[in-house]
Amino acid sequence: MAKPLDLPLLLIPVMVVTLISVSFAQTNVTSGASVQAIAGAGWSSPSGHFVFGFYATDGGLTVGHNGDGDVAAMRDDGNFVLYAANATVAWSTFAAPTDTLLAGQDLAPGAQLFSSVSATSRATGKYRLTNQLNDGNLVMYPAGTMNVAAAAYWDTGTFQIGFPLTLRLDASGVLYLVGNNGSYTKNLTKASAAQAVEQAHYHRVTLDPDGVLRSYRHGLLSSGGWKTDVEWIGPSDRCHVKGACGFNSYCVLDRDAQPSCLCPPGFDLIDAGDAAGGCTASSGAGECTAGQRADPGSSMATMQNVSWADTPCGVLAAGTRAADCQAACMSDCFCVAALLDTNDGTCTKQQLPLRYGRAGGGYTMFVKTGGAASPALGGGGGGNHHHHRLRRASTVALVCVGLLTFVALVYIRPRWSDIVKIFCCLAPVVFSLLFWEGFSR
Ligand SMILES: *[C@@H]1O[C@H](CO)[C@@H](O)[C@H](O)[C@H]1NC(C)=O
Ligand SMILES: *[C@@H]1O[C@H](CO)[C@@H](O)[C@H](O)[C@H]1NC(C)=O
Ligand SMILES: *[C@@H]1O[C@H](CO)[C@@H](O)[C@H](O)[C@H]1NC(C)=O
Ligand SMILES: *[C@@H]1O[C@H](CO)[C@@H](O)[C@H](O)[C@H]1NC(C)=O
Ligand SMILES: *[C@@H]1O[C@H](CO)[C@@H](O)[C@H](O)[C@H]1NC(C)=O
């Protein structure tokens, strides 16, 4: 007998099937039936390979939605279906996409998968896979971004195709796009060969919490155990996932193709215990005060063959030489780094935060590693900055005192003797603030 809980992810409600397929055996659940809310409890399909029920998560127990259908069924394709009285499907887990597609389940035009927060927390995570309705492209983005090319980190290149596409996984594990009434198909993965030691195999495609789409094969062994393999991943280089590393850090693949996050020269981890949490400038580069042009004390480090999100604060035309690109950033105190496209010599000046960094990609980055504005080095820049902040604080304090006084006068209507007392108490504060305001101008 199978152990259904070996496949907890197969229980997660997913995508679109609107017709009742008679080819799958099903366990009928009649109206009024109930299932106990304990981990592992649920309605099993006839094969026992799929269960609609409860599984343990970080936040306690989780279950697929319930509804008002007259009869429900847990089918052997993994779809949990609620039927209306006229035997049409009122609701199904296949029609409610989260992070997974099962065989036979479609990601319809315009629909999205969202990654989970983690393997044990099924809340919406950081990434999405979008089947774009407008152009037919299937694209991965960080969850909080617009559908723009600059935010995309993987796509099938099926844009401008002229008709919407549906993403589908078949029972042999082929993930493919289909459109124009079946006349167009594009296979993203290959069929998975049957293996002699297996009684059956199931496939699923999940947008995992790390932003990678993986095709899984779950083989049911003669012993009754399950064997799980990853057969395909997209993107193949996990460092291409935008957001794999935090701000101001870049991603490098180690020997096992695992991503790790590093800080560029002149930057340190924000939290030494959290490599993915991003880096912060240890040099104070990019902190400028009005009128300051160059950072006299700063120097530049060079990183070859890297790539970063290009959010330029200044562009030098194609054909710029490395030395000129470096000099352009050096003479601009707002410039933290310069990116030189080694193909065409376009040089762009960058500000903080630097995002989506990774090794590879053919850019050279020149990054400032020190400067007059550095708190560590002291200097006029840092001092002015401090001065400016104090003055702003004193202005805010004055406004607050004024407002409080106004409110007190209007709503509390104190007697004159009280006003005099309050004024005597506040006077030293107000006068010192006024003095500081005048002094600092
Ligand atoms: C479940 O209900 C369907 C539709 O009414 C029926 O055809 C099927 O035989 C039932 N299956 C079982 C195992 O009772
Ligand atoms: C079946 O019932 C549902 C819900 O009552 C209704 O929306 C749908 O139109 C009906 N379909 C048919 C074919 O009668
Ligand atoms: C789609 O293909 C089916 C089967 O080949 C055919 O019966 C149907 O008319 C086609 N629909 C359209 C809109 O072309
Ligand atoms: C796509 O996959 C299907 C199903 O395995 C196969 O029949 C077809 O030949 C494949 N197409 C290409 C172009 O590889
Ligand atoms: C650039 O980096 C990538 C990934 O680290 C590597 O595969 C490639 O060979 C490098 N290219 C050059 C010219 O160093």
Side-chain angles (χ1 to χ4, degrees):
M1 185 56 209
K3 287 181 289 175
L5 278 180
D6 282 354
L7 290 172
L9 285 164
L10 296 183
L11 309 181
I12 295 155
V14 236
M15 261 321 298
V16 188
V17 159
T18 43
L19 296 172
I20 303 173
S21 163
V22 288
S23 60
F24 290 101
Q26 64 184 39
T27 300
N28 296 332
V29 179
T30 49
S31 188
S34 65
V35 64
Q36 238 184 319
I38 52 173
W43 293 304
S44 170
S45 73
S47 69
H49 300 161
F50 295 93
V51 179
F52 183 85
F54 295 90
Y55 57 95
T57 66
D58 283 350
L61 295 170
T62 296
V63 70
H65 291 281
N66 223 320
D68 295 324
D70 289 307
V71 175
M74 184 64 237
R75 310 194 322 173
D76 260 349
D77 61 351
N79 198 5
F80 182 80
V81 181
L82 294 175
Y83 296 104
N86 58 14
T88 58
V89 173
W91 185 88
S92 74
T93 54
F94 270 27
T98 56
D99 63 354
T100 298
L101 288 183
L102 297 181
Q105 190 174 15
D106 290 349
L107 188 67
Q112 312 193 77
L113 296 183
F114 282 91
S115 65
S116 295
V117 167
S118 70
T120 52
S121 168
R122 309 245 63 106
T124 301
K126 283 163 58 183
Y127 304 100
R128 61 194 175 99
L129 170 72
T130 301
N131 186 0
Q132 290 183 176
L133 192 55
N134 62 331
D135 65 358
N137 207 1
L138 183 72
V139 190
M140 286 188 228
Y141 299 103
T145 61
M146 311 281 286
N147 289 5
V148 291
Y153 62 85
W154 179 90
D155 75 288
T156 48
T158 49
F159 46 86
Q160 305 304 339
I161 207 155
F163 42 81
L165 297 175
T166 295
L167 179 68
R168 188 170 292 168
L169 178 66
D170 76 11
S172 64
V174 179
L175 181 68
Y176 63 103
L177 287 162
V178 56
N180 206 16
N181 202 17
S183 68
Y184 173 93
T185 58
K186 177 179 174 130
N187 291 358
L188 304 178
T189 66
K190 292 196 187 77
S192 187
Q195 292 171 18
V197 292
E198 291 175 358
Q199 295 180 346
H201 56 98
Y202 294 93
H203 298 269
R204 71 177 160 100
V205 170
T206 300
L207 182 58
D208 281 324
D210 62 357
V212 174
L213 188 69
R214 289 184 180 80
S215 172
Y216 289 91
R217 176 200 167 96
H218 298 278
L220 175 59
L221 306 174
S222 338
S223 64
W226 291 91
K227 180 171 169 285
T228 299
D229 295 303
V230 174
E231 295 204 312
W232 174 87
I233 74 169
S236 53
D237 180 341
R238 291 175 58 190
C239 277
H240 282 247
V241 175
K242 288 188 170 161
C245 292
F247 285 156
N248 307 319
S249 70
Y250 67 101
C251 181
V252 178
L253 285 187
D254 65 19
R255 269 192 226 102
D256 308 325
Q258 299 294 313
S260 57
C261 302
L262 303 175
C263 298
F267 288 75
D268 296 315
L269 282 179
I270 293 171
D271 173 356
D274 179 16
C279 307
T280 184
S282 47
S283 61
E287 279 188 19
C288 291
T289 50
Q292 189 182 353
R293 281 184 57 82
D295 272 345
S298 65
S299 54
M300 287 202 130
T302 304
M303 296 175 73
Q304 304 277 4
N305 191 17
V306 290
S307 125
W308 294 83
D310 187 12
T311 44
C313 59
V315 181
L316 277 72
T320 306
R321 291 181 308 130
D324 294 337
C325 184
Q326 197 166 340
C329 185
M330 204 63 164
S331 64
D332 177 350
C333 109
F334 288 100
C335 178
V336 169
L339 271 183
L340 182 66
D341 183 337
T342 44
N343 286 324
D344 67 1
T346 305
C347 169
T348 54
K349 297 194 276 186
Q350 308 286 325
Q351 287 179 317
L352 296 180
L354 303 167
R355 288 177 306 138
Y356 305 151
R358 63 177 171 86
Y363 285 81
T364 298
M365 185 166 84
F366 305 104
V367 58
K368 276 188 192 161
T369 56
S374 163
L377 299 174
N384 276 335
H385 194 73
H386 183 67
H387 191 96
H388 185 77
R389 257 190 222 157
L390 260 182
R391 204 176 77 196
R392 197 158 19 164
S394 75
T395 308
V396 169
L398 267 182
V399 170
C400 288
V401 168
L403 272 178
L404 278 175
T405 310
F406 177 78
V407 168
L409 288 176
V410 169
Y411 289 97
I412 306 174
R413 294 178 189 282
R415 283 171 299 161
W416 271 112
S417 60
D418 292 333
I419 293 176
V420 171
K421 275 187 221 156
I422 292 169
F423 184 75
C424 290
C425 293
L426 283 179
V429 179
V430 173
F431 276 92
S432 50
L433 284 173
L434 282 172
F435 175 76
W436 172 253
E437 276 280 293
F439 164 79
S440 59
R441 264 165 226 282

